[in-house]
């Protein structure tokens, strides 16, 4: 039943949120439609989407017959019409869960690789989901925290200020000792964890049927990696452990402490597998640093690169979601708070050793080492044509540019993004194998760091950061360490 039992009904006045310490600028999301929570209802949603796309494709094809200019347009362009792209975005936002998550993962692909209508729709998807109805929220809170859950909070705002693929986030207050703490409560949409397999099967079928994803994207691999990631993300107890682990790592790093990086506390007594309660972190998304002076933009960009390199090469444990909303910047204190650790993973020592050698080769334009390790690590098969080999080399060298010299690298002025896009187009046409599994999450995070520095107009010295990593790294691959 979807009705609220009398024991779970709450006093609306008690739920009204008020706080003098949290900025009133936080917008609240209005209630949306019910999140389909059973496999049957979710399968019906995908079936309806498939039917809608089929009918939309027929309508688009018919209309083109009567329009001049594109009667023989490619099948993919007819399917990926504005109307069908909007249908896809609307359904993914309503379904939430694995379907929306994969849509968001596809949305970070290079815009030049996808049909324009689909790119626009996926950008809409990336903005987030609808909020679930209050009744459904109350049922979920009762199921996770007990029938008296509302008595445990000093206050709880029933309207979320953010909603994503797996859950939505609410502002609340709890008592800790003798003080009242501002917290954020992330509530998972019901049924999401149990529908991952069926959601991705249905989404894979739709993507292949429509041709929305180019062949060179290796969509089966993208979805396989996404499946593994989603299973972890849906376990908020695991996310709690991830956050506590990275908090200890950040606090033990003297440079990050000096630069005012911070990871909020987790409140275990208010956390379950589908509800996560953490300390409220002040600040706006880190892209707002664009309003600061050049020196501060450069500082933030540099230490985003610093922590990213620490995560991969030193800790070998990385938060892999590049969403700028996962870095909160407080103008008053210049503190950068790191949040949202559902997407976090470890990297094997063997992979890290090889990848560090590749990064060093890219920085020094060492073609021999780059190509040799690219074959050994599985980036290349040895049967690629000259177009693919040249694109692989040039994309590597382009990515190595920020680390090539001691001169601050102008991310925005370098046009590095557009130059990488040109190489990516060749990848989609000529790539013969999917990259190593670790690369899907890693490159997503690295792309986020690059794009943030471009957004900020940051000019960052990166060479010394890489040199410090190489100098202090212990290689266990039996090869001589790179020469500095």
């Amino acid at each position: 039943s979807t009705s609220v039992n009398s024991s779970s009904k709450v006093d609306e006045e008690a739920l009204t949120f008020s706080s003098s310490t949290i900025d009133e600028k936080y917008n609240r999301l209005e209630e949306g439609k019910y999140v389909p929570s059973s496999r049957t209802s979710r399968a019906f949603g995908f079936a309806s989407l498939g039917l809608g796309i089929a009918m939309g494709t027929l309508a688009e094809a018919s209309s083109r017959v009567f329009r001049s200019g594109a009667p023989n347009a490619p099948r993919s362009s007819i399917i990926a019409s504005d109307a069908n792209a909007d249908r896809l975005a609307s359904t993914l936002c309503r379904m939430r869960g694995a379907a929306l998550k994969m849509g968001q993962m596809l949305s970070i692909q290079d815009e030049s690789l996808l049909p324009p209508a689909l790119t626009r729709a996926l950008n809409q998807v990336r903005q987030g989901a609808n909020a679930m109805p209050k009744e459904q929220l109350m049922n979920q809170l009762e199921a996770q925290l007990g029938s008296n859950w509302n008595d445990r909070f000093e206050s709880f705002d029933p309207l979320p200020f953010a909603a994503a693929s797996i859950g939505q986030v609410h502002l609340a207050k709890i008592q800790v000792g003798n003080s009242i703490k501002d917290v954020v409560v992330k509530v998972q949409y019901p049924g999401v964890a149990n529908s991952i397999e069926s959601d991705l099967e249905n989404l894979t079928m739709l993507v292949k049927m429509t041709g929305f994803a180019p062949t060179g994207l290796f969509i089966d691999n993208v979805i396989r990696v996404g499946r593994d990631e989603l299973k972890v993300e849906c376990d908020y107890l695991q996310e709690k452990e991830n956050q506590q682990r990275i908090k200890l790592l950040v606090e033990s790093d003297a440079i990050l402490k000096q630069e005012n990086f911070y990871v909020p506390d987790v409140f275990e007594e208010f956390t379950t597998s589908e509800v996560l309660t953490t300390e409220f972190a002040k600040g706006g998304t880190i892209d707002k640093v664009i309003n600061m002076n050049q020196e501060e933009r450069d500082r933030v960009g540099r230490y985003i690169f610093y922590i990213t390199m620490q995560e991969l090469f030193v800790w070998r444990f990385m938060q892999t979601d590049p969403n700028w909303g996962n870095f909160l910047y407080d103008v008053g204190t210049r503190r950068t708070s790191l949040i949202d650790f559902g997407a976090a993973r470890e990297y094997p020592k063997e992979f890290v050793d090889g990848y560090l050698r590749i990064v060093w080769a890219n920085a020094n334009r060492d073609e021999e080492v780059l190509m040799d390790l690219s074959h050994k690590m599985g980036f290349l098969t040895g049967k690629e044509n000259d177009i693919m080999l040249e694109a692989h080399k040039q994309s590597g060298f382009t990515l190595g540019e920020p680390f090539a010299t001691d001169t601050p690298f102008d991310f925005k002025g370098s046009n590095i993004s557009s130059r990488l896009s040109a190489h990516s187009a060749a990848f989609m046409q000529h790539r013969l194998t999917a990259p190593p599994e670790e690369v899907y999450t890693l490159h997503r995070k690295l792309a986020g760091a690059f794009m943030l520095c471009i957004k900020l107009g940051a000019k960052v010295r990166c060479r010394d950061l890489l040199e410090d990593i190489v100098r202090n790294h212990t290689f266990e691959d039996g090869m001589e360490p790179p020469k500095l």
Side-chain angles (χ1 to χ4, degrees):
S1 171
T2 58
S3 62
V4 180
N5 297 328
S6 58
S7 60
S8 66
K9 287 184 178 178
V10 293
D11 184 347
E12 290 293 324
E13 185 176 348
L15 280 175
T16 300
F17 187 84
S18 62
S19 172
S20 59
T21 61
I22 294 182
D23 199 315
E24 293 299 327
K25 71 180 180 181
Y26 284 95
N27 294 322
R28 306 306 194 269
L29 303 180
E30 297 299 326
E31 293 183 55
K33 296 180 180 179
Y34 266 81
V35 180
S37 57
S38 69
R39 290 190 178 183
T40 301
S41 61
R42 296 185 74 80
F44 180 76
F46 280 106
S48 299
L49 173 60
L51 178 61
I53 288 176
M55 297 299 292
T57 301
L58 180 61
E60 180 70 14
S62 299
S63 68
R64 291 192 183 194
V65 171
F66 300 100
R67 294 204 312 260
S68 61
N72 298 313
R75 171 176 171 268
S76 60
S77 71
I78 296 174
I79 294 175
S81 63
D82 287 343
N84 274 346
D86 287 338
R87 286 187 182 92
L88 177 65
S90 176
T91 299
L92 295 185
C93 288
R94 181 174 59 84
M95 298 285 286
R96 287 85 141 185
L100 179 58
K101 182 70 175 182
M102 291 309 302
Q104 291 171 335
M105 288 180 69
L106 287 173
S107 76
I108 67 166
Q109 301 301 322
D110 193 300
E111 292 186 358
S112 66
L113 308 180
L114 300 174
L118 183 59
T119 297
R120 177 182 55 77
L122 288 178
N123 283 336
Q124 175 186 336
V125 166
R126 189 165 51 194
Q127 300 307 311
N130 303 315
M132 64 176 130
K134 189 180 297 183
E135 184 180 47
Q136 196 171 32
L137 167 67
M138 298 304 152
N139 287 338
Q140 180 71 335
L141 286 168
E142 179 177 321
Q144 293 299 311
L145 298 177
S147 58
N148 66 333
W149 69 268
N150 52 303
D151 295 332
R152 301 172 61 186
F153 289 90
E154 295 300 310
S155 62
F156 183 96
D157 188 345
L159 291 178
F161 68 91
S165 56
I166 295 173
Q168 59 189 44
V169 187
H170 298 257
L171 296 169
K173 287 176 175 290
I174 60 173
Q175 183 165 352
V176 179
N178 295 323
S179 62
I180 303 298
K181 294 281 188 181
D182 294 318
V183 296
V184 292
V185 184
K186 182 160 67 173
V187 183
Q188 189 173 125
Y189 303 127
V192 164
N194 296 327
S195 63
I196 293 174
E197 294 291 342
S198 59
D199 271 14
L200 294 184
E201 287 175 6
N202 289 319
L203 186 62
T204 302
M205 179 182 66
L206 274 173
V207 168
K208 290 183 175 180
M209 178 187 76
T210 58
F212 275 157
T215 304
L217 189 60
F218 289 93
I219 189 64
D220 286 331
N221 291 66
V222 173
I223 288 181
R224 177 176 53 80
V225 172
R227 176 185 291 111
D228 294 340
E229 186 175 304
L230 277 162
K231 288 180 179 178
V232 175
E233 282 195 59
C234 284
D235 183 355
Y236 286 177
L237 292 175
Q238 180 62 55
E239 180 173 350
K240 175 201 71 173
E241 293 182 9
N242 294 342
Q243 183 161 340
Q244 292 171 330
R245 179 176 177 178
I246 291 184
K247 181 178 178 65
L248 289 175
L249 291 168
V250 169
E251 290 178 346
S252 66
D253 188 297
I255 292 176
L256 291 174
K257 288 187 69 175
Q258 176 183 309
E259 298 301 327
N260 211 3
F261 277 68
Y262 181 74
V263 178
D265 290 322
V266 180
F267 297 98
E268 297 193 28
E269 61 272 32
F270 291 86
T271 296
T272 71
S273 61
E274 296 184 17
V275 171
L276 177 67
T277 303
T278 62
E279 175 187 1
F280 173 80
K282 292 180 65 177
T285 55
I286 200 166
D287 57 307
K288 301 301 188 294
V289 176
I290 193 173
N291 298 314
M292 305 295 285
N293 61 36
Q294 186 67 50
E295 181 181 3
E296 181 64 1
R297 284 183 279 152
D298 295 348
R299 183 190 74 84
V300 170
R302 176 176 170 83
Y303 290 103
I304 289 296
F305 263 92
Y306 173 84
I307 192 172
T308 300
M309 295 169 74
Q310 292 296 116
E311 286 178 296
L312 176 60
F313 298 122
V314 180
W315 305 340
R316 289 191 289 116
F317 185 67
M318 176 181 276
Q319 191 271 43
T320 59
D321 187 346
N323 190 327
W324 294 340
N326 294 338
F327 300 85
L328 301 180
Y329 179 83
D330 182 42
V331 174
T333 62
R334 300 198 173 187
R335 167 181 278 185
T336 301
S337 296
L338 314 178
I339 63 171
D340 197 345
F341 297 91
R345 63 160 294 166
E346 293 183 334
Y347 290 91
K349 185 68 167 66
E350 180 181 9
F351 172 83
V352 170
D353 284 353
Y355 197 82
L356 179 54
R357 289 185 185 276
I358 283 181
V359 172
W360 185 249
N362 285 336
N364 294 287
R365 301 183 71 85
D366 188 334
E367 180 178 353
E368 181 179 354
V369 172
L370 168 61
M371 302 309 279
D372 179 57
L373 284 170
S374 294
H375 284 93
K376 288 180 179 178
M377 294 186 68
F379 288 94
L380 300 171
T381 67
K383 299 179 180 179
E384 283 79 11
N385 60 26
D386 290 343
I387 296 174
M388 177 62 200
L389 292 175
E390 183 66 14
H392 182 78
K393 180 183 73 173
Q394 293 301 332
S395 65
F397 288 173
T398 302
L399 285 168
E401 287 179 10
F403 307 97
T405 71
D406 287 323
T407 305
F409 185 76
D410 184 351
F411 279 86
K412 186 175 183 178
S414 69
N415 294 317
I416 191 170
S417 178
S418 60
R419 289 186 289 123
L420 284 171
S421 295
H423 302 311
S424 298
F427 277 47
M428 293 301 103
Q429 294 181 40
H430 301 287
R431 179 187 273 163
L432 298 181
T433 184
E437 178 183 315
E438 294 87 354
V439 165
Y440 286 93
T441 51
L442 171 58
H443 283 189
R444 195 171 72 213
K445 179 65 174 281
L446 294 179
F450 271 69
M451 293 307 295
L452 177 61
C453 286
I454 292 171
K455 172 77 171 180
L456 299 183
K459 299 174 182 178
V460 181
R461 286 179 56 242
C462 299
R463 175 76 181 190
D464 62 320
L465 297 179
L466 180 58
E467 287 181 345
D468 286 344
I469 292 289
V470 173
R471 183 181 297 111
N472 297 309
H473 190 81
T474 301
F475 290 90
E476 298 178 359
D477 53 11
M479 299 168 62
E480 286 292 321
K483 293 182 179 180
L484 291 168

